[in-house]
mmCIF file with all atom_site columns, all heavy atoms in Angstrom:
data_model
loop_
_atom_site.group_PDB
_atom_site.id
_atom_site.type_symbol
_atom_site.label_atom_id
_atom_site.label_alt_id
_atom_site.label_comp_id
_atom_site.label_asym_id
_atom_site.label_entity_id
_atom_site.label_seq_id
_atom_site.pdbx_PDB_ins_code
_atom_site.Cartn_x
_atom_site.Cartn_y
_atom_site.Cartn_z
_atom_site.occupancy
_atom_site.B_iso_or_equiv
_atom_site.pdbx_formal_charge
_atom_site.auth_seq_id
_atom_site.auth_comp_id
_atom_site.auth_asym_id
_atom_site.auth_atom_id
_atom_site.pdbx_PDB_model_num
ATOM 1   N N   . VAL Y 1 183 ? -18.703 26.121 24.049 1.00 71.00 ? 183 VAL Y N   1
ATOM 2   C CA  . VAL Y 1 183 ? -17.566 25.193 23.950 1.00 71.00 ? 183 VAL Y CA  1
ATOM 3   C C   . VAL Y 1 183 ? -16.560 25.547 25.034 1.00 71.00 ? 183 VAL Y C   1
ATOM 4   O O   . VAL Y 1 183 ? -16.564 26.657 25.570 1.00 71.00 ? 183 VAL Y O   1
ATOM 5   C CB  . VAL Y 1 183 ? -16.875 25.272 22.567 1.00 71.00 ? 183 VAL Y CB  1
ATOM 6   C CG1 . VAL Y 1 183 ? -17.802 24.820 21.462 1.00 71.00 ? 183 VAL Y CG1 1
ATOM 7   C CG2 . VAL Y 1 183 ? -16.356 26.677 22.288 1.00 71.00 ? 183 VAL Y CG2 1
ATOM 8   N N   . GLU Y 1 184 ? -15.701 24.583 25.373 1.00 73.00 ? 184 GLU Y N   1
ATOM 9   C CA  . GLU Y 1 184 ? -14.633 24.834 26.336 1.00 73.00 ? 184 GLU Y CA  1
ATOM 10  C C   . GLU Y 1 184 ? -13.424 25.383 25.593 1.00 73.00 ? 184 GLU Y C   1
ATOM 11  O O   . GLU Y 1 184 ? -12.942 24.773 24.650 1.00 73.00 ? 184 GLU Y O   1
ATOM 12  C CB  . GLU Y 1 184 ? -14.274 23.532 27.063 1.00 73.00 ? 184 GLU Y CB  1
ATOM 13  C CG  . GLU Y 1 184 ? -15.395 23.020 27.965 1.00 73.00 ? 184 GLU Y CG  1
ATOM 14  C CD  . GLU Y 1 184 ? -14.953 21.801 28.755 1.00 73.00 ? 184 GLU Y CD  1
ATOM 15  O OE1 . GLU Y 1 184 ? -13.758 21.424 28.652 1.00 73.00 ? 184 GLU Y OE1 1
ATOM 16  O OE2 . GLU Y 1 184 ? -15.794 21.232 29.470 1.00 73.00 ? 184 GLU Y OE2 1
ATOM 17  N N   . TRP Y 1 185 ? -12.939 26.521 26.077 1.00 77.00 ? 185 TRP Y N   1
ATOM 18  C CA  . TRP Y 1 185 ? -11.819 27.188 25.398 1.00 77.00 ? 185 TRP Y CA  1
ATOM 19  C C   . TRP Y 1 185 ? -10.549 27.027 26.228 1.00 77.00 ? 185 TRP Y C   1
ATOM 20  O O   . TRP Y 1 185 ? -10.609 26.826 27.441 1.00 77.00 ? 185 TRP Y O   1
ATOM 21  C CB  . TRP Y 1 185 ? -12.137 28.668 25.193 1.00 77.00 ? 185 TRP Y CB  1
ATOM 22  C CG  . TRP Y 1 185 ? -11.445 29.237 23.979 1.00 77.00 ? 185 TRP Y CG  1
ATOM 23  C CD1 . TRP Y 1 185 ? -10.242 29.873 23.952 1.00 77.00 ? 185 TRP Y CD1 1
ATOM 24  C CD2 . TRP Y 1 185 ? -11.918 29.212 22.648 1.00 77.00 ? 185 TRP Y CD2 1
ATOM 25  N NE1 . TRP Y 1 185 ? -9.939  30.252 22.678 1.00 77.00 ? 185 TRP Y NE1 1
ATOM 26  C CE2 . TRP Y 1 185 ? -10.956 29.850 21.842 1.00 77.00 ? 185 TRP Y CE2 1
ATOM 27  C CE3 . TRP Y 1 185 ? -13.056 28.699 22.030 1.00 77.00 ? 185 TRP Y CE3 1
ATOM 28  C CZ2 . TRP Y 1 185 ? -11.095 29.999 20.469 1.00 77.00 ? 185 TRP Y CZ2 1
ATOM 29  C CZ3 . TRP Y 1 185 ? -13.206 28.851 20.663 1.00 77.00 ? 185 TRP Y CZ3 1
ATOM 30  C CH2 . TRP Y 1 185 ? -12.230 29.498 19.896 1.00 77.00 ? 185 TRP Y CH2 1
ATOM 31  N N   . ALA Y 1 186 ? -9.424  27.147 25.571 1.00 75.00 ? 186 ALA Y N   1
ATOM 32  C CA  . ALA Y 1 186 ? -8.128  26.951 26.229 1.00 75.00 ? 186 ALA Y CA  1
ATOM 33  C C   . ALA Y 1 186 ? -7.745  28.175 27.063 1.00 75.00 ? 186 ALA Y C   1
ATOM 34  O O   . ALA Y 1 186 ? -7.978  29.320 26.662 1.00 75.00 ? 186 ALA Y O   1
ATOM 35  C CB  . ALA Y 1 186 ? -7.049  26.681 25.186 1.00 75.00 ? 186 ALA Y CB  1
ATOM 36  N N   . PHE Y 1 187 ? -7.118  27.907 28.258 1.00 77.00 ? 187 PHE Y N   1
ATOM 37  C CA  . PHE Y 1 187 ? -6.517  28.977 29.042 1.00 77.00 ? 187 PHE Y CA  1
ATOM 38  C C   . PHE Y 1 187 ? -5.230  29.438 28.367 1.00 77.00 ? 187 PHE Y C   1
ATOM 39  O O   . PHE Y 1 187 ? -4.608  28.718 27.592 1.00 77.00 ? 187 PHE Y O   1
ATOM 40  C CB  . PHE Y 1 187 ? -6.190  28.491 30.453 1.00 77.00 ? 187 PHE Y CB  1
ATOM 41  C CG  . PHE Y 1 187 ? -7.370  28.494 31.384 1.00 77.00 ? 187 PHE Y CG  1
ATOM 42  C CD1 . PHE Y 1 187 ? -7.292  27.880 32.620 1.00 77.00 ? 187 PHE Y CD1 1
ATOM 43  C CD2 . PHE Y 1 187 ? -8.553  29.101 31.036 1.00 77.00 ? 187 PHE Y CD2 1
ATOM 44  C CE1 . PHE Y 1 187 ? -8.371  27.881 33.487 1.00 77.00 ? 187 PHE Y CE1 1
ATOM 45  C CE2 . PHE Y 1 187 ? -9.640  29.116 31.886 1.00 77.00 ? 187 PHE Y CE2 1
ATOM 46  C CZ  . PHE Y 1 187 ? -9.550  28.496 33.120 1.00 77.00 ? 187 PHE Y CZ  1
ATOM 47  N N   . LEU Y 1 188 ? -4.842  30.665 28.680 1.00 75.00 ? 188 LEU Y N   1
ATOM 48  C CA  . LEU Y 1 188 ? -3.577  31.200 28.175 1.00 75.00 ? 188 LEU Y CA  1
ATOM 49  C C   . LEU Y 1 188 ? -2.416  30.396 28.750 1.00 75.00 ? 188 LEU Y C   1
ATOM 50  O O   . LEU Y 1 188 ? -2.381  30.134 29.957 1.00 75.00 ? 188 LEU Y O   1
ATOM 51  C CB  . LEU Y 1 188 ? -3.444  32.672 28.575 1.00 75.00 ? 188 LEU Y CB  1
ATOM 52  C CG  . LEU Y 1 188 ? -2.221  33.425 28.072 1.00 75.00 ? 188 LEU Y CG  1
ATOM 53  C CD1 . LEU Y 1 188 ? -2.245  33.515 26.552 1.00 75.00 ? 188 LEU Y CD1 1
ATOM 54  C CD2 . LEU Y 1 188 ? -2.192  34.830 28.673 1.00 75.00 ? 188 LEU Y CD2 1
ATOM 55  N N   . PRO Y 1 189 ? -1.471  29.941 27.910 1.00 76.00 ? 189 PRO Y N   1
ATOM 56  C CA  . PRO Y 1 189 ? -0.327  29.178 28.413 1.00 76.00 ? 189 PRO Y CA  1
ATOM 57  C C   . PRO Y 1 189 ? 0.417   29.932 29.517 1.00 76.00 ? 189 PRO Y C   1
ATOM 58  O O   . PRO Y 1 189 ? 0.560   31.154 29.472 1.00 76.00 ? 189 PRO Y O   1
ATOM 59  C CB  . PRO Y 1 189 ? 0.559   29.009 27.179 1.00 76.00 ? 189 PRO Y CB  1
ATOM 60  C CG  . PRO Y 1 189 ? -0.384  29.098 26.032 1.00 76.00 ? 189 PRO Y CG  1
ATOM 61  C CD  . PRO Y 1 189 ? -1.434  30.081 26.460 1.00 76.00 ? 189 PRO Y CD  1
ATOM 62  N N   . SER Y 1 190 ? 0.899   29.180 30.505 1.00 71.00 ? 190 SER Y N   1
ATOM 63  C CA  . SER Y 1 190 ? 1.533   29.788 31.675 1.00 71.00 ? 190 SER Y CA  1
ATOM 64  C C   . SER Y 1 190 ? 2.736   30.639 31.308 1.00 71.00 ? 190 SER Y C   1
ATOM 65  O O   . SER Y 1 190 ? 2.976   31.686 31.897 1.00 71.00 ? 190 SER Y O   1
ATOM 66  C CB  . SER Y 1 190 ? 1.942   28.696 32.658 1.00 71.00 ? 190 SER Y CB  1
ATOM 67  O OG  . SER Y 1 190 ? 2.848   27.792 32.036 1.00 71.00 ? 190 SER Y OG  1
ATOM 68  N N   . SER Y 1 191 ? 3.489   30.186 30.305 1.00 72.00 ? 191 SER Y N   1
ATOM 69  C CA  . SER Y 1 191 ? 4.704   30.929 29.953 1.00 72.00 ? 191 SER Y CA  1
ATOM 70  C C   . SER Y 1 191 ? 4.371   32.331 29.443 1.00 72.00 ? 191 SER Y C   1
ATOM 71  O O   . SER Y 1 191 ? 5.062   33.306 29.760 1.00 72.00 ? 191 SER Y O   1
ATOM 72  C CB  . SER Y 1 191 ? 5.490   30.163 28.876 1.00 72.00 ? 191 SER Y CB  1
ATOM 73  O OG  . SER Y 1 191 ? 4.665   29.951 27.729 1.00 72.00 ? 191 SER Y OG  1
ATOM 74  N N   . ILE Y 1 192 ? 3.285   32.433 28.658 1.00 76.00 ? 192 ILE Y N   1
ATOM 75  C CA  . ILE Y 1 192 ? 2.900   33.736 28.106 1.00 76.00 ? 192 ILE Y CA  1
ATOM 76  C C   . ILE Y 1 192 ? 2.302   34.624 29.189 1.00 76.00 ? 192 ILE Y C   1
ATOM 77  O O   . ILE Y 1 192 ? 2.640   35.806 29.309 1.00 76.00 ? 192 ILE Y O   1
ATOM 78  C CB  . ILE Y 1 192 ? 1.899   33.546 26.951 1.00 76.00 ? 192 ILE Y CB  1
ATOM 79  C CG1 . ILE Y 1 192 ? 2.555   32.741 25.821 1.00 76.00 ? 192 ILE Y CG1 1
ATOM 80  C CG2 . ILE Y 1 192 ? 1.396   34.894 26.444 1.00 76.00 ? 192 ILE Y CG2 1
ATOM 81  C CD1 . ILE Y 1 192 ? 1.613   32.409 24.684 1.00 76.00 ? 192 ILE Y CD1 1
ATOM 82  N N   . LEU Y 1 193 ? 1.430   34.036 30.011 1.00 74.00 ? 193 LEU Y N   1
ATOM 83  C CA  . LEU Y 1 193 ? 0.843   34.815 31.097 1.00 74.00 ? 193 LEU Y CA  1
ATOM 84  C C   . LEU Y 1 193 ? 1.910   35.277 32.085 1.00 74.00 ? 193 LEU Y C   1
ATOM 85  O O   . LEU Y 1 193 ? 1.889   36.415 32.557 1.00 74.00 ? 193 LEU Y O   1
ATOM 86  C CB  . LEU Y 1 193 ? -0.216  33.974 31.814 1.00 74.00 ? 193 LEU Y CB  1
ATOM 87  C CG  . LEU Y 1 193 ? -0.924  34.641 33.003 1.00 74.00 ? 193 LEU Y CG  1
ATOM 88  C CD1 . LEU Y 1 193 ? -1.574  35.955 32.580 1.00 74.00 ? 193 LEU Y CD1 1
ATOM 89  C CD2 . LEU Y 1 193 ? -1.950  33.701 33.610 1.00 74.00 ? 193 LEU Y CD2 1
ATOM 90  N N   . ALA Y 1 194 ? 2.848   34.370 32.384 1.00 73.00 ? 194 ALA Y N   1
ATOM 91  C CA  . ALA Y 1 194 ? 3.915   34.711 33.317 1.00 73.00 ? 194 ALA Y CA  1
ATOM 92  C C   . ALA Y 1 194 ? 4.739   35.892 32.810 1.00 73.00 ? 194 ALA Y C   1
ATOM 93  O O   . ALA Y 1 194 ? 5.103   36.797 33.558 1.00 73.00 ? 194 ALA Y O   1
ATOM 94  C CB  . ALA Y 1 194 ? 4.814   33.501 33.544 1.00 73.00 ? 194 ALA Y CB  1
ATOM 95  N N   . GLU Y 1 195 ? 4.998   35.883 31.520 1.00 75.00 ? 195 GLU Y N   1
ATOM 96  C CA  . GLU Y 1 195 ? 5.805   36.957 30.940 1.00 75.00 ? 195 GLU Y CA  1
ATOM 97  C C   . GLU Y 1 195 ? 5.073   38.293 31.026 1.00 75.00 ? 195 GLU Y C   1
ATOM 98  O O   . GLU Y 1 195 ? 5.672   39.327 31.340 1.00 75.00 ? 195 GLU Y O   1
ATOM 99  C CB  . GLU Y 1 195 ? 6.123   36.626 29.481 1.00 75.00 ? 195 GLU Y CB  1
ATOM 100 C CG  . GLU Y 1 195 ? 6.961   37.671 28.748 1.00 75.00 ? 195 GLU Y CG  1
ATOM 101 C CD  . GLU Y 1 195 ? 8.349   37.848 29.353 1.00 75.00 ? 195 GLU Y CD  1
ATOM 102 O OE1 . GLU Y 1 195 ? 8.807   36.957 30.119 1.00 75.00 ? 195 GLU Y OE1 1
ATOM 103 O OE2 . GLU Y 1 195 ? 8.986   38.884 29.063 1.00 75.00 ? 195 GLU Y OE2 1
ATOM 104 N N   . GLU Y 1 196 ? 3.769   38.282 30.775 1.00 77.00 ? 196 GLU Y N   1
ATOM 105 C CA  . GLU Y 1 196 ? 2.989   39.510 30.843 1.00 77.00 ? 196 GLU Y CA  1
ATOM 106 C C   . GLU Y 1 196 ? 2.948   40.047 32.275 1.00 77.00 ? 196 GLU Y C   1
ATOM 107 O O   . GLU Y 1 196 ? 3.080   41.254 32.508 1.00 77.00 ? 196 GLU Y O   1
ATOM 108 C CB  . GLU Y 1 196 ? 1.567   39.270 30.325 1.00 77.00 ? 196 GLU Y CB  1
ATOM 109 C CG  . GLU Y 1 196 ? 1.462   38.956 28.845 1.00 77.00 ? 196 GLU Y CG  1
ATOM 110 C CD  . GLU Y 1 196 ? 1.950   40.087 27.977 1.00 77.00 ? 196 GLU Y CD  1
ATOM 111 O OE1 . GLU Y 1 196 ? 1.749   41.266 28.360 1.00 77.00 ? 196 GLU Y OE1 1
ATOM 112 O OE2 . GLU Y 1 196 ? 2.535   39.819 26.912 1.00 77.00 ? 196 GLU Y OE2 1
ATOM 113 N N   . ILE Y 1 197 ? 2.767   39.142 33.259 1.00 75.00 ? 197 ILE Y N   1
ATOM 114 C CA  . ILE Y 1 197 ? 2.723   39.576 34.658 1.00 75.00 ? 197 ILE Y CA  1
ATOM 115 C C   . ILE Y 1 197 ? 4.103   40.040 35.115 1.00 75.00 ? 197 ILE Y C   1
ATOM 116 O O   . ILE Y 1 197 ? 4.240   41.009 35.865 1.00 75.00 ? 197 ILE Y O   1
ATOM 117 C CB  . ILE Y 1 197 ? 2.206   38.435 35.554 1.00 75.00 ? 197 ILE Y CB  1
ATOM 118 C CG1 . ILE Y 1 197 ? 0.758   38.116 35.174 1.00 75.00 ? 197 ILE Y CG1 1
ATOM 119 C CG2 . ILE Y 1 197 ? 2.287   38.809 37.021 1.00 75.00 ? 197 ILE Y CG2 1
ATOM 120 C CD1 . ILE Y 1 197 ? 0.162   36.958 35.927 1.00 75.00 ? 197 ILE Y CD1 1
ATOM 121 N N   . ARG Y 1 198 ? 5.128   39.360 34.633 1.00 73.00 ? 198 ARG Y N   1
ATOM 122 C CA  . ARG Y 1 198 ? 6.498   39.760 34.986 1.00 73.00 ? 198 ARG Y CA  1
ATOM 123 C C   . ARG Y 1 198 ? 6.787   41.180 34.506 1.00 73.00 ? 198 ARG Y C   1
ATOM 124 O O   . ARG Y 1 198 ? 7.383   41.982 35.225 1.00 73.00 ? 198 ARG Y O   1
ATOM 125 C CB  . ARG Y 1 198 ? 7.505   38.791 34.352 1.00 73.00 ? 198 ARG Y CB  1
ATOM 126 C CG  . ARG Y 1 198 ? 8.962   39.070 34.757 1.00 73.00 ? 198 ARG Y CG  1
ATOM 127 C CD  . ARG Y 1 198 ? 9.927   38.343 33.874 1.00 73.00 ? 198 ARG Y CD  1
ATOM 128 N NE  . ARG Y 1 198 ? 9.863   38.828 32.505 1.00 73.00 ? 198 ARG Y NE  1
ATOM 129 C CZ  . ARG Y 1 198 ? 10.446  39.957 32.095 1.00 73.00 ? 198 ARG Y CZ  1
ATOM 130 N NH1 . ARG Y 1 198 ? 11.117  40.723 32.951 1.00 73.00 ? 198 ARG Y NH1 1
ATOM 131 N NH2 . ARG Y 1 198 ? 10.356  40.323 30.844 1.00 73.00 ? 198 ARG Y NH2 1
ATOM 132 N N   . LEU Y 1 199 ? 6.309   41.492 33.282 1.00 76.00 ? 199 LEU Y N   1
ATOM 133 C CA  . LEU Y 1 199 ? 6.535   42.844 32.754 1.00 76.00 ? 199 LEU Y CA  1
ATOM 134 C C   . LEU Y 1 199 ? 5.821   43.881 33.616 1.00 76.00 ? 199 LEU Y C   1
ATOM 135 O O   . LEU Y 1 199 ? 6.355   44.952 33.894 1.00 76.00 ? 199 LEU Y O   1
ATOM 136 C CB  . LEU Y 1 199 ? 6.035   42.916 31.305 1.00 76.00 ? 199 LEU Y CB  1
ATOM 137 C CG  . LEU Y 1 199 ? 6.838   42.114 30.270 1.00 76.00 ? 199 LEU Y CG  1
ATOM 138 C CD1 . LEU Y 1 199 ? 6.146   42.129 28.922 1.00 76.00 ? 199 LEU Y CD1 1
ATOM 139 C CD2 . LEU Y 1 199 ? 8.255   42.675 30.147 1.00 76.00 ? 199 LEU Y CD2 1
ATOM 140 N N   . TRP Y 1 200 ? 4.576   43.546 34.020 1.00 73.00 ? 200 TRP Y N   1
ATOM 141 C CA  . TRP Y 1 200 ? 3.845   44.480 34.886 1.00 73.00 ? 200 TRP Y CA  1
ATOM 142 C C   . TRP Y 1 200 ? 4.564   44.654 36.219 1.00 73.00 ? 200 TRP Y C   1
ATOM 143 O O   . TRP Y 1 200 ? 4.719   45.762 36.726 1.00 73.00 ? 200 TRP Y O   1
ATOM 144 C CB  . TRP Y 1 200 ? 2.437   43.934 35.125 1.00 73.00 ? 200 TRP Y CB  1
ATOM 145 C CG  . TRP Y 1 200 ? 1.682   44.676 36.198 1.00 73.00 ? 200 TRP Y CG  1
ATOM 146 C CD1 . TRP Y 1 200 ? 1.036   45.851 36.078 1.00 73.00 ? 200 TRP Y CD1 1
ATOM 147 C CD2 . TRP Y 1 200 ? 1.531   44.279 37.576 1.00 73.00 ? 200 TRP Y CD2 1
ATOM 148 N NE1 . TRP Y 1 200 ? 0.472   46.230 37.277 1.00 73.00 ? 200 TRP Y NE1 1
ATOM 149 C CE2 . TRP Y 1 200 ? 0.763   45.277 38.218 1.00 73.00 ? 200 TRP Y CE2 1
ATOM 150 C CE3 . TRP Y 1 200 ? 1.969   43.184 38.325 1.00 73.00 ? 200 TRP Y CE3 1
ATOM 151 C CZ2 . TRP Y 1 200 ? 0.426   45.205 39.564 1.00 73.00 ? 200 TRP Y CZ2 1
ATOM 152 C CZ3 . TRP Y 1 200 ? 1.626   43.104 39.663 1.00 73.00 ? 200 TRP Y CZ3 1
ATOM 153 C CH2 . TRP Y 1 200 ? 0.867   44.094 40.283 1.00 73.00 ? 200 TRP Y CH2 1
ATOM 154 N N   . TRP Y 1 201 ? 5.017   43.559 36.810 1.00 68.00 ? 201 TRP Y N   1
ATOM 155 C CA  . TRP Y 1 201 ? 5.713   43.612 38.104 1.00 68.00 ? 201 TRP Y CA  1
ATOM 156 C C   . TRP Y 1 201 ? 7.013   44.378 37.995 1.00 68.00 ? 201 TRP Y C   1
ATOM 157 O O   . TRP Y 1 201 ? 7.367   45.176 38.862 1.00 68.00 ? 201 TRP Y O   1
ATOM 158 C CB  . TRP Y 1 201 ? 5.949   42.193 38.619 1.00 68.00 ? 201 TRP Y CB  1
ATOM 159 C CG  . TRP Y 1 201 ? 6.622   42.114 39.958 1.00 68.00 ? 201 TRP Y CG  1
ATOM 160 C CD1 . TRP Y 1 201 ? 7.934   41.855 40.204 1.00 68.00 ? 201 TRP Y CD1 1
ATOM 161 C CD2 . TRP Y 1 201 ? 6.013   42.293 41.235 1.00 68.00 ? 201 TRP Y CD2 1
ATOM 162 N NE1 . TRP Y 1 201 ? 8.196   41.855 41.544 1.00 68.00 ? 201 TRP Y NE1 1
ATOM 163 C CE2 . TRP Y 1 201 ? 7.017   42.123 42.212 1.00 68.00 ? 201 TRP Y CE2 1
ATOM 164 C CE3 . TRP Y 1 201 ? 4.723   42.590 41.652 1.00 68.00 ? 201 TRP Y CE3 1
ATOM 165 C CZ2 . TRP Y 1 201 ? 6.772   42.240 43.577 1.00 68.00 ? 201 TRP Y CZ2 1
ATOM 166 C CZ3 . TRP Y 1 201 ? 4.477   42.689 43.007 1.00 68.00 ? 201 TRP Y CZ3 1
ATOM 167 C CH2 . TRP Y 1 201 ? 5.506   42.518 43.953 1.00 68.00 ? 201 TRP Y CH2 1
ATOM 168 N N   . SER Y 1 202 ? 7.715   44.146 36.895 1.00 70.00 ? 202 SER Y N   1
ATOM 169 C CA  . SER Y 1 202 ? 9.040   44.767 36.734 1.00 70.00 ? 202 SER Y CA  1
ATOM 170 C C   . SER Y 1 202 ? 8.962   46.266 36.554 1.00 70.00 ? 202 SER Y C   1
ATOM 171 O O   . SER Y 1 202 ? 9.913   46.993 36.840 1.00 70.00 ? 202 SER Y O   1
ATOM 172 C CB  . SER Y 1 202 ? 9.759   44.143 35.534 1.00 70.00 ? 202 SER Y CB  1
ATOM 173 O OG  . SER Y 1 202 ? 10.017  42.777 35.761 1.00 70.00 ? 202 SER Y OG  1
ATOM 174 N N   . GLU Y 1 203 ? 7.838   46.753 36.051 1.00 68.00 ? 203 GLU Y N   1
ATOM 175 C CA  . GLU Y 1 203 ? 7.698   48.190 35.808 1.00 68.00 ? 203 GLU Y CA  1
ATOM 176 C C   . GLU Y 1 203 ? 7.845   49.007 37.088 1.00 68.00 ? 203 GLU Y C   1
ATOM 177 O O   . GLU Y 1 203 ? 8.260   50.167 37.047 1.00 68.00 ? 203 GLU Y O   1
ATOM 178 C CB  . GLU Y 1 203 ? 6.333   48.475 35.163 1.00 68.00 ? 203 GLU Y CB  1
ATOM 179 C CG  . GLU Y 1 203 ? 6.248   48.020 33.713 1.00 68.00 ? 203 GLU Y CG  1
ATOM 180 C CD  . GLU Y 1 203 ? 4.832   48.108 33.166 1.00 68.00 ? 203 GLU Y CD  1
ATOM 181 O OE1 . GLU Y 1 203 ? 3.935   48.562 33.928 1.00 68.00 ? 203 GLU Y OE1 1
ATOM 182 O OE2 . GLU Y 1 203 ? 4.612   47.744 31.999 1.00 68.00 ? 203 GLU Y OE2 1
ATOM 183 N N   . SER Y 1 204 ? 7.500   48.395 38.252 1.00 64.00 ? 204 SER Y N   1
ATOM 184 C CA  . SER Y 1 204 ? 7.580   49.146 39.507 1.00 64.00 ? 204 SER Y CA  1
ATOM 185 C C   . SER Y 1 204 ? 8.800   48.757 40.354 1.00 64.00 ? 204 SER Y C   1
ATOM 186 O O   . SER Y 1 204 ? 8.930   49.176 41.497 1.00 64.00 ? 204 SER Y O   1
ATOM 187 C CB  . SER Y 1 204 ? 6.295   48.913 40.312 1.00 64.00 ? 204 SER Y CB  1
ATOM 188 O OG  . SER Y 1 204 ? 6.120   47.536 40.564 1.00 64.00 ? 204 SER Y OG  1
ATOM 189 N N   . ARG Y 1 205 ? 9.689   47.937 39.803 1.00 57.00 ? 205 ARG Y N   1
ATOM 190 C CA  . ARG Y 1 205 ? 10.915  47.593 40.527 1.00 57.00 ? 205 ARG Y CA  1
ATOM 191 C C   . ARG Y 1 205 ? 11.898  48.760 40.484 1.00 57.00 ? 205 ARG Y C   1
ATOM 192 O O   . ARG Y 1 205 ? 11.924  49.525 39.511 1.00 57.00 ? 205 ARG Y O   1
ATOM 193 C CB  . ARG Y 1 205 ? 11.571  46.380 39.876 1.00 57.00 ? 205 ARG Y CB  1
ATOM 194 C CG  . ARG Y 1 205 ? 11.019  45.026 40.346 1.00 57.00 ? 205 ARG Y CG  1
ATOM 195 C CD  . ARG Y 1 205 ? 11.802  43.913 39.680 1.00 57.00 ? 205 ARG Y CD  1
ATOM 196 N NE  . ARG Y 1 205 ? 11.480  42.613 40.247 1.00 57.00 ? 205 ARG Y NE  1
ATOM 197 C CZ  . ARG Y 1 205 ? 11.323  41.510 39.550 1.00 57.00 ? 205 ARG Y CZ  1
ATOM 198 N NH1 . ARG Y 1 205 ? 11.457  41.558 38.228 1.00 57.00 ? 205 ARG Y NH1 1
ATOM 199 N NH2 . ARG Y 1 205 ? 11.068  40.369 40.137 1.00 57.00 ? 205 ARG Y NH2 1
ATOM 200 N N   . PRO Y 1 206 ? 12.746  48.855 41.499 1.00 53.00 ? 206 PRO Y N   1
ATOM 201 C CA  . PRO Y 1 206 ? 13.866  49.808 41.418 1.00 53.00 ? 206 PRO Y CA  1
ATOM 202 C C   . PRO Y 1 206 ? 14.789  49.416 40.274 1.00 53.00 ? 206 PRO Y C   1
ATOM 203 O O   . PRO Y 1 206 ? 14.839  48.256 39.857 1.00 53.00 ? 206 PRO Y O   1
ATOM 204 C CB  . PRO Y 1 206 ? 14.557  49.655 42.775 1.00 53.00 ? 206 PRO Y CB  1
ATOM 205 C CG  . PRO Y 1 206 ? 13.562  48.989 43.665 1.00 53.00 ? 206 PRO Y CG  1
ATOM 206 C CD  . PRO Y 1 206 ? 12.714  48.134 42.792 1.00 53.00 ? 206 PRO Y CD  1
#
Side-chain angles (χ1 to χ4, degrees):
V183 295
E184 293 185 4
W185 209 267
F187 279 169
L188 183 64
S190 59
S191 57
I192 298 175
L193 179 56
E195 180 63 17
E196 293 298 325
I197 296 177
R198 184 194 65 79
L199 291 173
W200 169 80
W201 182 259
S202 296
E203 288 171 2
S204 58
R205 275 183 170 139

